[in-house]
Amino acid sequence: MERLFAKSAFLVEDITTEHVRGLYGQIDWKDRLIGILGARGTGKTTLLLQRLKMDYDGSYEKAIYISMDDIYFSTHTLVDFAEMFRQKGGKILFIDEVHKYLHWSREIKNIYDTYKDLQLIFTGSSIIDIHKQEADLSRRAIFYELQGLSFREYLQFIGVAEKLPRYSLDELLDNHMKIALHFTKSFLPLQYFEAYLGAGYYPFFLENTNTYLIRLEQVARLIVETELRYVDGFDVGNTSKIMSLLAIMAEQVPFKPNISKLSEKIGLSRNTLLQYLHYLSKAKLISLLEMLGHSVSILQKPEKIYLENPNLHYALANGQPNIGAQRESFFLNQLRNAGYLVSLAPKGDFFVEEQYTFEIGGKGKKTTQIKDVDKGFVVADDMEVGAHNKIPLWLFGFLY
């Protein structure tokens, strides 16, 4: 146990607090049971260690960071550790990667119910389905999801501005020209937007931009090879087929999948392929798009498939990614990460919040496809400032 205290202290001492995610300020850290979910690479571990450093630095006996893939927990239970930690004066237990520990939800529930003076803050993969766990934590824990960096956060991380405001979708649609003009007085957004689309979504770009895409490809492979193993019924023997599936989608997305042909091409049954598409979506490697009101069940064929964020286009595609697919991926990603309902539009590309229609394209994109649509907008790349119902693509990076 002493080794875990020493390891925690070392990690806290080594962490930097120069760049802190926006979610940090949105979490109510007073709650006794907090769950932070998110995809691999988005910075969940960093967030825990920053909390420890900024609020409990030096209080190594009261607060500790542990990871459930530590070899210690191959021979010790989390419940026993929590009991010993509390007996030594521990108050706050930061638990990383709970999905890698069998019966994690049951043991966290037992700790929470037994030790009223112990606070638990844990992280887990976005593949976790809380309502399917063996113990119901939904009534006990407050859950948050850590997304990748928005374009707004990216600009803050690279030092373009110390603090940039967030806007609601309605604010952006009503005042996009005024907002864009305000920003362009301070910086040139298009100067940074291309870099963000290529290598700015995951915070680890700060470590080494030269190897970013190599590392991102490794992250995608790790998700398939390790994290999907924790999904009930997942066959690890199919990992190579899933990587082939991702490679196919990287070259074709967004596309309307022919499930029968796709399953035949990669050697998976139709139902197995649909299940894997569902889990790849939960793991934040792809995004599935449906018509409004259509079923989103695990065996329902999606209308369209996108890579989850534009950086994945560069990491997984052979050669230059399709710019149109990348634009649509960015728009869908930023809207969904900000909590908006996005579905496939009858006309145009996206139907948002059951009222707005968006057509995505380049600077020269016309309004022809949405001319008869109420509340229709063109979202254009390579444009600093828009006018009327034509809005710059980069501005949608300020929704969260």
Side-chain angles (χ1 to χ4, degrees):
M1 187 174 188
E2 286 72 19
R3 181 183 63 82
L4 293 182
F5 275 99
K7 184 177 180 179
S8 175
F10 176 81
L11 290 171
V12 171
E13 288 292 332
D14 200 45
I15 200 70
T16 175
T17 57
E18 181 182 0
H19 303 291
V20 180
R21 296 298 306 278
L23 182 66
Y24 186 98
Q26 299 171 34
I27 295 174
D28 186 348
W29 296 100
K30 297 186 183 69
D31 286 309
R32 196 159 66 84
L33 183 58
I34 298 171
I36 303 171
L37 307 182
R40 178 182 284 270
T42 52
K44 301 184 298 297
T45 299
T46 298
L47 192 71
L48 289 192
L49 293 172
Q50 287 177 332
R51 176 63 182 174
L52 246 167
K53 185 160 192 169
M54 290 192 286
D55 285 71
Y56 305 103
D57 192 17
S59 303
Y60 298 124
E61 289 78 23
K62 292 184 179 179
I64 189 173
Y65 164 90
I66 57 173
S67 178
M68 298 317 298
D69 62 357
D70 193 289
I71 194 172
Y72 176 90
F73 293 102
S74 63
T75 55
H76 298 80
T77 68
L78 178 59
V79 169
D80 288 342
F81 176 84
E83 182 180 5
M84 290 187 289
F85 174 64
R86 180 178 173 274
Q87 290 172 353
K88 291 179 177 291
K91 297 295 183 182
I92 305 107
L93 189 53
F94 292 86
I95 311 168
D96 205 6
E97 301 202 281
V98 292
H99 58 283
K100 295 185 176 181
Y101 180 75
L102 193 62
H103 307 308
W104 65 269
S105 60
R106 184 176 66 192
E107 293 199 28
I108 285 178
K109 174 184 176 294
N110 288 341
I111 296 168
Y112 175 86
D113 290 343
T114 303
Y115 305 117
K116 307 295 184 183
D117 57 347
L118 195 60
Q119 184 186 25
L120 305 172
I121 302 171
F122 65 89
T123 74
S125 168
S126 54
I127 64 171
I128 290 175
D129 191 335
I130 296 301
H131 298 285
K132 288 186 178 180
Q133 298 304 312
E134 57 190 353
D136 183 13
L137 295 179
S138 60
R139 293 181 294 106
R140 294 171 171 83
I142 304 298
F143 287 96
Y144 300 87
E145 184 154 11
L146 183 63
Q147 313 287 2
L149 294 171
S150 66
F151 181 48
R152 179 188 70 87
E153 289 181 299
Y154 170 78
L155 291 171
Q156 292 179 167
F157 272 39
I158 63 175
V160 170
E162 186 173 332
K163 189 167 181 62
L164 292 166
R166 297 164 50 190
Y167 294 96
S168 70
L169 180 60
D170 286 336
E171 287 174 328
L172 197 152
L173 297 181
D174 290 340
N175 304 294
H176 66 87
M177 192 173 183
K178 180 179 179 181
I179 294 169
L181 285 169
H182 170 72
F183 283 139
T184 54
K185 290 178 182 178
S186 304
F187 63 91
L188 301 175
L190 296 182
Q191 177 183 352
Y192 305 103
F193 189 53
E194 185 176 352
Y196 168 80
L197 293 179
Y201 185 68
Y202 297 88
F204 58 75
F205 83 88
L206 291 165
E207 298 172 22
N208 189 339
T209 55
N210 294 326
T211 59
Y212 177 86
L213 293 179
I214 296 173
R215 183 170 175 183
L216 180 51
E217 183 181 2
Q218 293 172 343
V219 165
R221 186 173 293 278
L222 280 170
I223 290 173
V224 173
E225 292 179 347
T226 64
E227 298 207 1
L228 290 185
R229 289 193 296 113
Y230 301 101
V231 173
D232 288 341
F234 178 74
D235 185 352
V236 294
N238 285 331
T239 54
S240 62
K241 294 178 180 179
I242 295 177
M243 291 305 298
S244 297
L245 175 63
L246 286 173
I248 291 170
M249 289 189 290
E251 295 177 0
Q252 300 185 42
V253 294
F255 74 106
K256 294 185 177 181
N258 184 317
I259 296 299
S260 297
K261 287 185 178 180
L262 199 54
S263 62
E264 182 180 346
K265 186 172 184 177
I266 62 175
L268 293 173
S269 71
R270 183 183 188 278
N271 284 355
T272 299
L273 174 59
L274 289 172
Q275 286 179 327
Y276 287 172
L277 289 176
H278 172 78
Y279 293 132
L280 288 172
S281 175
K282 289 184 68 66
K284 300 301 180 75
L285 287 177
I286 64 173
S287 288
L288 308 178
L289 196 66
E290 309 284 353
M291 292 292 290
L292 182 66
H294 282 207
S295 169
V296 290
S297 67
I298 196 170
L299 295 180
Q300 173 70 33
K301 181 181 83 69
E303 294 290 335
K304 273 190 175 182
I305 300 176
Y306 295 82
L307 292 185
E308 198 272 342
N309 67 78
N311 289 184
L312 289 169
H313 286 262
Y314 285 94
L316 299 178
N318 292 319
Q320 187 69 20
N322 181 282
I323 187 62
Q326 192 182 45
R327 288 166 179 159
E328 292 184 34
S329 174
F330 168 79
F331 181 86
L332 179 60
N333 171 270
Q334 301 289 288
L335 267 290
R336 280 187 168 171
N337 284 357
Y340 292 103
L341 174 65
V342 185
S343 54
L344 191 64
K347 292 185 178 180
D349 292 314
F350 299 105
F351 193 47
V352 179
E353 291 295 294
E354 303 185 34
Q355 56 178 319
Y356 302 118
T357 297
F358 295 93
E359 175 72 15
I360 317 298
K363 185 176 182 179
K365 188 72 176 181
K366 305 297 183 183
T367 60
T368 308
Q369 290 176 273
I370 58 167
K371 64 178 181 179
D372 299 323
V373 176
D374 185 37
K375 296 183 180 179
F377 299 86
V378 166
V379 179
D381 198 5
D382 300 319
M383 179 194 297
E384 278 195 349
V385 181
H388 307 297
N389 68 336
K390 195 168 185 177
I391 306 174
L393 179 64
W394 63 268
L395 260 185
F396 290 87
F398 285 77
L399 293 173
Y400 76 95

